Amino acid sequence: LWQQLLEADSGEIDRWRSERERLARTIRHSLDEAPPTYHAMTLASRLGLVPAAAAVATIAGHVERGFTIDPNGSRLRDPTQGHDDAFTPYFTHYSFAVLLENGAGELVRRYWETAWGWMLVHGATTWWEVFDDRWSQCHSWSGSPTWQLSQYVLGLQPRADARGFYSRLRVNAVGL
């Protein structure tokens, strides 16, 4: 807990631990009530609230149905119109990390090649906000392959916990 790193008193740490458990129960309950969605499973997995295999299956299934992986998939063309079955470069910061951390590196590599490759084929010289050239054409949140290649393929992952700041070396060949 952050409170431990900040050397909070034990009463405060216990209150936050209790609050975390209450929120975890609420999230688990809501996932049991309705079919888990791409966003919910991604975030719940990153919090350790759902089995990794279930999250990987949900994430991969969702991305497979979205444009550019499926050329006929849902695509965000208008910022005022959302699509529940589209995926964006932004959220892959979270969802692809789940895949990479749970043995689906080859799948992520294929997604990078297909989706960001699509941008390059269409003339991108910077990463676009979404998979459409009418939105922002220089968007830092679309750069997940850039940092993910460094952290997951080259394997240098910065970390911080009660021991302090450190790096973990964990190379992922993503099938190469």
Side-chain angles (χ1 to χ4, degrees), residues 74-164:
S74 287
R75 179 177 184 178
L76 296 178
R77 290 193 166 274
D78 178 342
T80 66
Q81 303 295 316
H83 292 284
D84 289 339
D85 54 348
F87 79 100
T88 63
Y90 161 73
F91 204 72
T92 64
H93 279 275
Y94 309 104
S95 63
F96 285 10
V98 171
L99 298 177
L100 287 159
E101 290 170 5
N102 291 288
E106 290 183 44
L107 190 59
V108 172
R109 187 190 80 223
R110 182 171 64 83
Y111 294 159
W112 288 332
E113 290 169 349
T114 304
W116 283 262
W118 177 90
M119 279 191 224
L120 295 173
V121 165
H122 286 83
T125 56
T126 57
W127 295 135
W128 297 346
E129 183 173 4
V130 298
F131 300 112
D132 190 294
D133 64 359
R134 292 174 290 175
W135 291 39
S136 168
Q137 291 190 354
C138 184
H139 205 74
S140 62
W141 281 105
S142 297
S144 42
T146 306
W147 75 265
Q148 289 169 346
L149 283 163
S150 298
Q151 285 198 18
Y152 291 103
V153 178
L154 297 177
L156 191 56
Q157 300 176 350
R159 297 284 186 245
D161 62 22
R163 296 173 286 173

Side-chain angles (χ1 to χ4, degrees), residues 15 27 31 42 46-47 54 87 94 102 104 111 113 139 174:
R15 281 190 301 278
I27 292 167
L31 290 172
T42 295
R46 291 179 59 88
L47 293 170
F87 79 100
Y94 309 104
N102 291 288
Y111 294 159
E113 290 169 349
H139 205 74
V174 295

